[in-house]
Amino acid sequence: MRHYETLFIINPDLNEEDTAATVEKFSGILTGGGAAMGKVDLWGRRRMAYEVKKFSKGFFVLFDYGADPGAVAEMERNFKIDDRVIRFLTVKKSELYDPEAIARAEAEAAAKAAARAAAAAAEDDERGGSSRDDEDEGDYEEEDES
């Protein structure tokens, strides 16, 4: 089973039920083909960099999964047939899909990000806040205009 990532754009004029049904349809095609869905990320309606099929906006969906090439080919065949899908792109990330290794890598990345944020906060505390805060602090006297 290979590790894939598929990003597809759905017609932005569809209502929420139709959009959810479209996502469920393609997720079902993959799971029906023996795929292991890792992550389904709904990015929502976004403006595109350029018009595609006369649409300037689209509903973006990202699938991260492990599947055999046949299941991916079947999903892409259905993308081409379905008028609700504006554009799609599938990328093979690796030859082997290992959900535990992916979860570990994501946890490590989150831990590194948290460590960077903590280090930045500690550095801010050592400096006594940002330089802009230092400029704003001080004794202000209100002028009496009488």
Side-chain angles (χ1 to χ4, degrees), residues 28 47 64 71 76 82 91 106 123 127 140 146:
R47 178 175 285 297
D64 191 345
E76 288 184 343
D82 199 329
V91 177
E106 287 177 354
E123 187 177 308
R127 286 188 282 165
Y140 293 106
S146 31

Side-chain angles (χ1 to χ4, degrees), residues 5-6 8 23 26 29-30 34 39 43 50 52 62 68 77 84 102 109 123 125 138 140 146:
E5 189 172 81
T6 299
F8 61 101
V23 172
F26 292 108
I29 290 171
L30 284 174
K39 178 172 49 172
W43 292 0
Y50 54 90
V52 178
L62 177 72
D68 294 322
R77 185 184 72 77
R84 298 175 293 186
I102 294 166
E123 187 177 308
D125 289 343
Y140 293 106
S146 31

Side-chain angles (χ1 to χ4, degrees), residues 35-142:
M37 295 299 288
K39 178 172 49 172
V40 176
D41 199 3
L42 305 176
W43 292 0
R45 283 181 178 76
R46 295 176 176 241
R47 178 175 285 297
M48 293 189 279
Y50 54 90
E51 281 192 4
V52 178
K53 295 185 180 177
K54 298 187 181 180
F55 290 103
S56 60
K57 292 182 181 180
F59 191 93
F60 287 69
V61 180
L62 177 72
F63 285 169
D64 191 345
Y65 57 97
D68 294 322
V72 177
E74 178 63 20
M75 180 183 63
E76 288 184 343
R77 185 184 72 77
N78 280 280
F79 278 148
K80 292 174 187 175
I81 295 170
D82 199 329
D83 291 336
R84 298 175 293 186
V85 176
I86 298 171
R87 181 75 47 101
F88 68 92
L89 176 68
T90 300
V91 177
K92 181 175 76 171
K93 294 180 78 174
S94 69
E95 285 292 327
L96 180 64
Y97 180 71
D98 184 11
E100 291 83 22
I102 294 166
R104 280 193 306 270
E106 287 177 354
E108 288 173 8
K112 285 180 183 178
R116 271 189 254 122
E123 187 177 308
D124 242 8
D125 289 343
E126 286 178 8
R127 286 188 282 165
S130 69
S131 60
R132 185 171 187 180
D133 289 341
D134 292 340
E135 292 172 5
D136 290 342
E137 291 179 11
D139 296 326
Y140 293 106
E141 295 180 18
E142 292 184 22

